[in-house]
Amino acid sequence: MNCPKCGSDKVNVQTVSESELKTKHHSILYWLFIGWWWRPLLWFFLTIPMLLGSLFGHKKQKIVTKHKSIAVCQNCGNSWDIIK
Ligand SMILES: [Zn+2]
């Protein structure tokens, strides 16, 4: 593998894992028009079922761990994702 930036073959491949919370991102328009009243409403209706759910020990794992490979050029320091 060669660096796309400088063409050097001194490329170090690293595997990194990323943990992220899987939440949907909304646009600013969503928050302006819907989010500010919809979310409290949603929380209100979800809090009671969630409390009941936690009492019965039902937990949802929402953290998603992704493994990806990145290549780092030892010559110029350029790094890029390797798509498998
Ligand atoms: Zn390079």
Side-chain angles (χ1 to χ4, degrees):
M1 194 188 328
N2 290 331
C3 173
K5 201 176 175 183
C6 68
S8 169
D9 61 352
K10 290 175 185 170
V11 173
N12 190 19
V13 178
Q14 298 171 352
T15 305
V16 290
S17 54
E18 289 180 337
S19 294
E20 62 177 42
L21 284 169
K22 192 159 189 161
T23 49
K24 283 183 180 177
H25 293 282
H26 294 287
S27 68
I28 199 157
L29 283 171
Y30 168 86
W31 289 110
L32 277 173
F33 292 107
I34 301 163
W36 63 272
W37 62 266
W38 172 244
R39 273 304 168 99
L41 208 70
L42 205 68
W43 281 333
F44 180 77
F45 285 109
L46 285 178
T47 300
I48 293 160
M50 273 171 67
L51 281 171
L52 286 169
S54 64
L55 280 173
F56 290 103
H58 181 73
K59 284 178 183 175
K60 277 186 178 178
Q61 181 65 267
K62 280 187 177 180
I63 297 169
V64 176
T65 306
K66 287 193 293 185
H67 296 282
K68 67 171 186 178
S69 297
I70 56 160
V72 181
C73 176
Q74 302 297 299
N75 192 40
C76 70
N78 183 36
S79 64
W80 64 97
D81 293 344
I82 302 168
I83 299 143
K84 286 180 180 174

